[in-house]
Amino acid sequence: MFKARRFEAKKALIRLLFKRFEKRLGISTPDVEIRIFETPRSNWGFRGLRATITYPKKLLGTTYSDYDSQIRTQMTTLFHGPGYGCDGKTSQRETAQKAYGLIVIAHSELNSHQTTTGALQQARRASDQVIG
């Protein structure tokens, strides 16, 4: 974890990890020890870029308009025209429920009807896909 994360963020992460260890692995909280080691950005690199200079400049140097354009292009490619996802193997519903990086679609009509329950089920499914 990068140095300078807020105390509240670290506390929330630890709580979440304890909860998931217990829920998914059946390991009780007293049996788990979590330590956070903070590393300066100068010791990190990701996506082929140094975290200290290149990555933040690229990330922060991209305008909202450019991101909007990139996302629209990607979504148009994925969902262009009527019958998207109909490659004979994947249904439209399966295509719409697939995660595309951190973009996940949650829509009540993916259950074939609009209801609050359906919307909540889709929101839960989408959030589980993103955060695991």
Side-chain angles (χ1 to χ4, degrees), residues 19-103:
K19 184 177 175 181
R20 288 196 179 161
F21 275 124
E22 188 154 357
K23 181 179 178 182
R24 294 186 180 181
L25 302 174
I27 301 172
S28 65
T29 301
D31 295 328
V32 177
E33 179 178 316
I34 297 172
R35 295 180 189 183
I36 295 177
F37 293 94
E38 293 180 301
T39 306
R41 288 182 184 268
S42 60
N43 292 347
W44 278 75
F46 40 121
R47 295 185 187 105
L49 306 171
R50 285 190 355 228
T52 52
I53 299 170
T54 313
Y55 187 74
K57 279 187 180 177
K58 183 177 179 181
L59 178 68
L60 299 174
T62 304
T63 66
Y64 175 81
S65 176
D66 287 343
Y67 276 124
D68 181 63
S69 176
Q70 290 172 20
I71 290 169
R72 285 177 187 272
T73 300
Q74 291 170 358
M75 297 304 274
T76 300
T77 301
L78 291 169
F79 303 114
H80 67 282
Y84 66 83
C86 292
D87 57 7
K89 300 174 188 171
T90 308
S91 71
Q92 290 178 337
R93 184 171 190 237
E94 291 170 321
T95 301
Q97 287 182 323
K98 183 179 175 189
Y100 299 92
L102 294 177
I103 297 174

Side-chain angles (χ1 to χ4, degrees), residues 9-19 34-36:
K10 291 186 265 188
K11 189 175 174 181
L13 173 63
I14 289 172
R15 266 196 233 119
L16 178 66
L17 290 172
F18 277 131
K19 184 177 175 181
I34 297 172
R35 295 180 189 183
I36 295 177

